[in-house]
């Protein structure tokens, strides 16, 4: 069984995974479960999640995944013998890494330990962000397009600010796409992506005149903003360092696997230039002048030289040169082929 859970870019929802999930299930004769993280998709419409506006972080999302595994096991959907892979994109990638850290700290049983964890174009390091300094995002000035470099973080911040300023309820899909593109200068493809997270609600007015429905986004923009800021602050490279250190000498080198540890696959989108940005180093001066991709390369090469079996069995770096951040939608077939090939 493979569990695909997603927080794809901003406003991601499980429907974004429909095509690759179906392709993977057919290719591997496997069950696929797509999950909306808190603040996203149908989970955001659930009052038990929607009302928790003060408890939104990558760490809390990882505990949500732990609770999901508990439910699946208690419901006999998974057993001790079920092989599970987690596939997580963008924000979800850090949630997946945090989940692995969480289950190791709890010394959890086998049902909680995925055999493979795919981190799809999610940079493990911390990122600079500017939203915290902008005050009330409903009133903040959105910078002109030409002032922002073309990278995922800056594009995402423009989207978050626009969503704070859009009306909560609006006529329909066409209206919000036009509003986002013409008023806020959001790229048409991103606007259409956002529109996949719409839900219809009853509207006041004469239904006979076609005014019986209006639309709103399923996701909770306040929760999304909290999650995004926490995502930017969180650096998971130290965990990856500790992870490789922890398993040194434990792996069964004859099989190059260990049921107590997950294989972590970090998939880089070749056209996403954010990987080439300089890292935030804070108090860790060893990362000064390093880029995210050089930090990842150093991690892989260090693990390989110290204990060759680790790089070949637990930490992997993959790259798809021809795609940008939306890996699984830009080349669903290539993505599924890659995951299938290395998740056996």
């Amino acid at each position: 069984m493979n569990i695909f859970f997603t927080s794809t870019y901003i406003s991601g929802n499980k429907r974004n995974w429909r095509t690759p999930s179906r392709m993977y299930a057919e290719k591997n004769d496997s069950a696929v479960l797509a999950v909306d993280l808190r603040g996203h998709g149908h989970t955001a419409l659930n009052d038990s999640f929607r009302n928790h506006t003060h408890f939104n972080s990558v760490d809390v999302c990882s505990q949500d995944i732990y609770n999901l595994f508990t439910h699946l096991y208690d419901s006999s959907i998974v057993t001790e013998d079920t092989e599970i892979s987690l596939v997580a994109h963008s924000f979800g990638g850090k949630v997946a890494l945090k989940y692995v850290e969480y289950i190791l700290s709890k010394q959890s049983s086998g049902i909680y330990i995925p055999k493979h964890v795919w981190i799809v174009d999610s940079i493990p390091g911390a990122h600079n962000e500017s939203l915290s300094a902008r005050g009330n995002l409903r009133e903040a000035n959105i910078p002109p397009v030409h002032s922002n470099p073309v990278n995922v973080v800056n594009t995402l911040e423009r989207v978050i600010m626009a969503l704070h300023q859009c009306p909560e309820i609006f006529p329909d899909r066409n209206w919000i796409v036009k509003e986002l593109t013409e008023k806020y200068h959001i790229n048409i493809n991103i606007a259409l992506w956002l529109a996949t997270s719409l839900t219809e609600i009853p509207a006041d007015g004469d239904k006979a005149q076609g005014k019986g429905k209006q639309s709103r986004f399923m996701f909770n923009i306040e929760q999304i903003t909290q999650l995004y800021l926490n995502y930017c602050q969180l650096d998971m490279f130290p965990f990856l360092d500790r992870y490789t250190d922890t398993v040194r000498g434990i792996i069964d080198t004859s099989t190059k696997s260990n049921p107590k540890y997950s294989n972590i696959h970090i998939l880089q989108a070749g056209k996403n230039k954010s990987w080439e940005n300089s890292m935030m180093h804070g108090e860790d001066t060893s990362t000064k002048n390093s880029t995210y991709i050089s930090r990842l390369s150093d991690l892989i090469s260090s693990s390989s030289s110290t204990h060759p079996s680790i790089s070949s069995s637990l930490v992997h770096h993959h790259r798809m040169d021809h795609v940008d951040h939306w890996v699984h939608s830009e080349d669903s077939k290539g993505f599924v082929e890659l995951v299938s090939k290395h998740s056996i």
Side-chain angles (χ1 to χ4, degrees):
M1 180 178 189
N2 285 267
I3 298 177
F4 285 57
F5 73 90
T6 176
S7 174
T8 307
Y9 189 63
I10 181 75
S11 86
N13 68 83
K14 58 190 179 185
R15 290 183 296 192
N16 302 144
W17 286 92
R18 185 175 297 164
T19 297
S21 295
R22 175 181 51 79
M23 293 173 66
Y24 187 93
E26 292 175 353
K27 180 178 179 61
N28 298 281
D29 191 24
S30 174
V32 176
L33 176 63
V35 180
D36 287 324
L37 294 176
R38 66 170 54 214
H40 296 78
H42 287 88
T43 301
L45 301 178
N46 186 314
D47 289 341
S48 63
F49 286 94
R50 191 173 186 85
N51 295 333
H52 291 171
T53 56
H54 301 296
F55 301 94
N56 297 291
S57 66
V58 172
D59 186 58
V60 170
C61 287
S62 71
Q63 294 173 42
D64 290 339
I65 299 301
Y66 182 87
N67 293 336
L68 169 65
F69 272 100
T70 301
H71 170 72
L72 293 174
Y73 183 73
D74 290 345
S75 304
S76 300
I77 297 173
V78 301
T79 69
E80 294 277 358
D81 297 326
T82 305
E83 290 189 354
I84 296 176
S85 295
L86 293 181
V87 181
H89 174 246
S90 198
F91 169 82
K94 277 190 181 176
V95 174
L97 288 175
K98 197 68 178 177
Y99 172 76
V100 175
E101 181 181 46
Y102 181 69
I103 58 176
L104 288 177
S105 70
K106 292 179 66 68
Q107 297 182 328
S108 299
S109 65
I111 64 166
Y112 296 98
I113 303 173
K115 183 175 182 180
H116 297 277
V117 177
W118 282 84
I119 312 302
V120 183
D121 207 46
S122 178
I123 297 174
H127 304 267
N128 288 305
E129 56 84 15
S130 65
L131 292 184
S132 300
R134 293 185 182 275
N136 185 348
L137 296 181
R138 295 186 183 278
E139 300 176 357
N141 292 324
I142 301 178
V145 176
H146 61 75
S147 69
N148 276 339
V150 180
N151 64 53
V152 172
V153 171
N154 285 325
T155 303
L156 181 50
E157 292 196 357
R158 288 183 52 77
V159 170
I160 290 176
M161 294 176 69
L163 292 172
H164 272 278
Q165 297 180 21
C166 285
E168 182 178 354
I169 298 173
F170 39 84
D172 54 32
R173 176 181 182 273
N174 291 337
W175 188 94
I176 194 62
V177 169
K178 183 177 181 180
E179 182 82 348
L180 289 169
T181 54
E182 295 186 4
K183 183 175 181 178
Y184 298 104
H185 307 291
I186 301 299
N187 178 277
I188 181 61
N189 291 324
I190 296 175
L192 291 171
W193 178 277
L194 292 166
T196 65
S197 288
L198 295 182
T199 185
E200 287 189 336
I201 58 175
D204 296 330
D206 185 357
K207 293 185 179 182
Q209 296 181 15
K211 298 180 180 179
K213 296 288 185 181
Q214 289 181 310
S215 296
R216 56 163 294 177
F217 288 110
M218 287 188 288
F219 55 76
N220 183 320
I221 190 57
E222 297 294 340
Q223 289 182 313
I224 290 289
T225 305
Q226 291 178 20
L227 292 171
Y228 168 74
L229 293 175
N230 181 250
Y231 165 86
C232 288
Q233 297 164 1
L234 185 62
D235 183 3
M236 293 303 295
F237 273 120
F239 162 69
L240 288 171
D241 291 331
R242 295 194 304 273
Y243 186 72
T244 55
D245 288 341
T246 298
V247 299
R248 284 192 177 103
I250 298 177
I251 297 176
D252 179 351
T253 54
S254 64
T255 61
K256 295 185 178 180
S257 65
N258 191 306
K260 295 182 180 180
Y261 297 96
S262 301
N263 292 273
I264 296 177
H265 304 263
I266 299 176
L267 173 55
Q268 175 193 358
K271 290 186 177 181
N272 181 3
K273 300 304 180 184
S274 296
W275 286 92
E276 300 171 10
N277 289 348
S278 296
M279 289 186 62
M280 290 178 59
H281 56 82
E283 297 179 358
D284 182 6
T285 56
S286 65
T287 63
K288 191 173 183 179
N289 300 322
S290 295
T291 62
Y292 294 109
I293 189 58
S294 65
R295 177 70 168 86
L296 178 61
S297 299
D298 289 344
L299 171 74
I300 299 294
S301 61
S302 174
S303 299
S304 178
S305 61
T306 307
H307 195 303
S309 67
I310 291 177
S311 65
S312 62
S313 67
L314 286 183
V315 181
H316 316 254
H317 176 211
H318 310 273
R319 178 182 168 108
M320 293 178 66
D321 290 326
H322 61 291
V323 296
D324 211 324
H325 187 56
W326 293 269
V327 178
H328 57 289
S329 59
E330 291 184 41
D331 183 5
S332 296
K333 182 178 179 181
F335 172 75
V336 169
E337 290 286 347
L338 181 67
V339 173
S340 299
K341 178 180 178 181
H342 295 281
S343 294
I344 57 175

